[in-house]
Amino acid sequence: MDTHISTTPFGRRPMTLGMISSQVAAKAMPADLTVHKWHVFQNIKEARGALGATDRALAILDALLSFHPETALYGNSELIVWPSNEQLIGRANGMPPATLRRHLTVLVECGLIIRRDSPNGKRYARKGQGGEIEQAYGFDISPIVARAAEFKELAEVVRAEKKAYRVVKERLTICRRDIVKMIDAGIEEGVPANWGRVQQTYQAIVGKVPRTAPRQVLEAIAAELEELWAEVREALETFVKTKNMSANESHIERHIQNSKPDSKSESESGLGNKDEADGNVADTDNVRSLPKRELPLGIVLDACPNMLWLVKGGGGIRNWREFLAAAEVARPAMGISPSAWEEARTAMGEQQAAITIAAIYQRQNQINSAGGYLRSLTDRAKAGKFSVWPMVMALLRAKLDASKTTGTGSGTEAAAVDLETAGKVVRTESRLEISDALRRSLDKPGRGS
């Protein structure tokens, strides 16, 4: 007995390799395989991008699965449903017939269903004497069972990719927030760094974040931001550590100097006025009375001739640019950290900081901690209590005293000329009057005479 449940025609449709592949998978399906159709459908929904299925196509698949009465699908059971187009449209929340046909084709091409065409192209089922279905023509949903493991694996991959995408978005958000906060903290706390460059680099990186982008693009941008984050963090941490260390170095330096009365102090060796050694207020006032103009390069080199050792090829230093380059070589040679050097340049100015480095290099054998001493002078410069003039004058005085001690006439004359020239520069600067304390410092006899 033939019972036609549906008479919806299929029409002529071409056979594709995808259809054949789905049919082969269905035939190879184990007879004892059992799946939960709605669990499989959920995996298909999550992996729809990888499968090439559309949302409309999945709405139709949902409707097709609802026409099978069992929730559990078995590999050896009849898995063909034959609803009419009107029935499908009703369960698929309504769509035009042309749209229905187009998305049914998508399901077939994705290998999610198989068409079982009748001789006349209509969907129907033939029942036997006992009412059992002997033959059915319509849509075979056996790929739901045969490919269940594949759909599950694809869904897991999609879920992992979504999680990775969410994680990289969180990385970007946290990194951007932290960098902005650290830049603000660095500027507010006066941490020595080129914060303008840091901000430009940050803006250049975040400017590459597109509105929508694949995870791989975001991963690359996040890596750049994290590298910048590490640089800014290191600058802040180094600043904090060096500030703590400089306080300890100053304390240790004073302790060592006080415990060795026979050794010369930095002030005695010509590297500062008495205020730097014992806090004499009169010499602190000298800073206000010193010239505002820059020291001539020739006088600085006469006071700090050891800087010439650092010139490549043994040539001289002809301008301030070459002098600054020599200071850049002297700084690491004395163990002065980049942060201490940057802080000194910020507080004193690049040229004044280089002269300070040269003076320290000239007497480095008499200084316990060059880095700690530079930081101490930097702090004084920030308070307006430091000038390079007394340092250079004291070095010239020490040179003159040494020449007198050794009795070298030519050296005595040269040192005297240097000191006289420097004194003229001081005296002729807007008719500036030198304080009594500074004059005593310049005129006092040398220890070796």
Side-chain angles (χ1 to χ4, degrees):
M1 180 176 68
D2 292 344
T3 301
H4 293 274
I5 308 301
S6 172
T7 58
T8 301
F10 278 107
R12 295 181 178 273
R13 300 179 184 87
M15 181 68 71
T16 65
L17 292 177
M19 297 177 189
I20 296 174
S21 176
S22 297
Q23 293 176 9
V24 170
K27 288 182 179 180
M29 177 175 54
D32 60 347
L33 183 60
T34 303
V35 300
H36 191 296
K37 68 179 181 182
W38 299 121
H39 291 172
V40 179
F41 179 70
Q42 182 61 34
N43 290 333
I44 292 172
K45 284 176 63 179
E46 294 189 24
R48 62 183 178 276
L51 294 170
T54 62
D55 291 339
R56 288 285 188 93
L58 292 184
I60 297 170
L61 179 60
D62 187 4
L64 285 173
L65 292 175
S66 70
F67 283 103
H68 194 284
E70 302 295 333
T71 299
L73 303 180
Y74 303 94
N76 58 357
S77 62
E78 183 61 48
L79 297 174
I80 297 176
V81 293
W82 52 94
S84 66
N85 283 353
E86 289 74 14
Q87 289 173 317
L88 276 175
I89 289 173
R91 293 199 185 183
N93 300 323
M95 65 178 62
T99 304
L100 174 69
R101 289 192 294 271
R102 184 169 65 255
H103 290 290
L104 279 171
T105 301
V106 171
L107 290 175
V108 174
E109 291 176 350
C110 290
L112 297 174
I113 61 173
I114 301 171
R115 295 185 189 271
R116 300 298 184 187
D117 291 343
S118 66
N120 61 5
K122 298 182 183 295
R123 302 174 206 154
Y124 64 90
R126 179 182 297 117
K127 291 185 179 181
Q129 293 293 337
E132 299 85 1
I133 295 176
E134 294 180 346
Q135 185 67 46
Y137 299 98
F139 299 105
D140 188 347
I141 60 174
S142 59
I144 301 297
V145 181
R147 301 177 62 189
E150 176 190 347
F151 297 147
K152 182 179 180 181
E153 183 178 347
L154 284 173
E156 289 174 349
V157 171
V158 171
R159 284 193 288 267
E161 180 65 21
K162 286 183 178 179
K163 181 180 179 181
Y165 188 86
R166 184 173 64 254
V167 169
V168 73
K169 290 283 286 185
E170 291 174 353
R171 283 172 55 197
L172 280 172
T173 300
I174 294 173
C175 202
R176 291 176 65 172
R177 180 191 64 199
D178 288 353
I179 290 176
V180 170
K181 287 183 177 180
M182 287 192 294
I183 290 176
D184 290 343
I187 295 174
E188 184 176 348
E189 297 295 333
V191 178
N194 191 343
W195 294 112
R197 180 194 64 80
V198 174
Q199 288 178 318
Q200 290 176 356
T201 303
Y202 169 74
Q203 293 297 338
I205 296 174
V206 298
K208 295 188 292 184
V209 180
R211 187 178 298 275
T212 57
R215 176 181 56 83
Q216 291 76 9
V217 173
L218 297 182
E219 290 278 3
I221 296 174
E224 288 187 64
L225 275 178
E226 287 171 347
E227 184 176 349
L228 179 63
W229 180 94
E231 291 179 7
V232 177
R233 182 76 177 183
E234 182 179 2
L236 297 180
E237 289 180 349
T238 301
F239 178 72
V240 172
K241 291 177 182 178
T242 51
K243 287 206 73 172
N244 294 336
M245 288 175 61
S246 64
N248 294 334
E249 286 173 351
S250 299
H251 175 74
I252 294 171
E253 181 180 350
R254 288 192 299 270
H255 176 74
I256 293 176
Q257 290 172 350
N258 293 335
S259 63
K260 296 181 179 179
D262 294 335
S263 64
K264 291 184 179 181
S265 68
E266 290 154 358
S267 177
E268 292 172 333
S269 64
L271 284 180
N273 54 34
K274 294 178 69 177
D275 178 54
E276 291 162 5
D278 55 18
N280 188 294
V281 178
D283 280 344
T284 301
D285 294 337
N286 291 339
V287 176
R288 303 188 185 96
S289 304
L290 291 172
K292 302 302 180 183
R293 63 175 290 180
E294 296 178 353
L295 273 165
L297 178 60
I299 292 178
V300 175
L301 290 176
D302 286 335
C304 309
N306 290 355
M307 291 293 286
L308 297 173
W309 302 346
L310 305 174
V311 180
K312 292 183 178 180
I317 296 177
R318 295 163 295 182
N319 49 52
W320 284 111
R321 181 175 56 81
E322 293 179 351
F323 184 81
L324 294 173
E328 290 284 359
V329 177
R331 192 268 307 165
M334 294 186 291
I336 297 175
S337 67
S339 61
W341 172 232
E342 182 64 29
E343 190 174 356
R345 289 195 299 179
T346 301
M348 304 177 186
E350 191 170 41
Q351 188 168 307
Q352 303 300 307
I355 294 173
T356 305
I357 288 289
I360 296 175
Y361 188 71
Q362 187 67 27
R363 288 290 185 266
Q364 61 175 318
N365 61 330
Q366 298 173 357
I367 299 175
N368 294 317
S369 172
Y373 187 60
L374 179 62
R375 287 191 181 278
S376 175
L377 297 180
T378 300
D379 290 340
R380 298 181 60 76
K382 291 178 180 178
K385 298 180 179 180
F386 172 74
S387 171
V388 294
W389 281 86
M391 298 180 71
V392 174
M393 296 303 104
L395 286 170
L396 289 173
R397 169 61 65 184
K399 182 178 179 182
L400 179 60
D401 291 344
S403 299
K404 290 180 179 178
T405 302
T406 57
T408 55
S410 59
T412 303
E413 291 179 6
V417 170
D418 295 340
L419 190 58
E420 181 181 359
T421 302
K424 287 180 180 179
V425 173
V426 174
R427 289 192 295 271
T428 58
E429 181 65 24
S430 302
R431 298 182 179 179
L432 191 63
E433 293 296 331
I434 302 177
S435 67
D436 293 337
L438 180 56
R439 183 176 287 106
R440 288 196 303 272
S441 175
L442 294 174
D443 294 339
K444 65 184 178 181
R447 284 177 171 76
S449 58

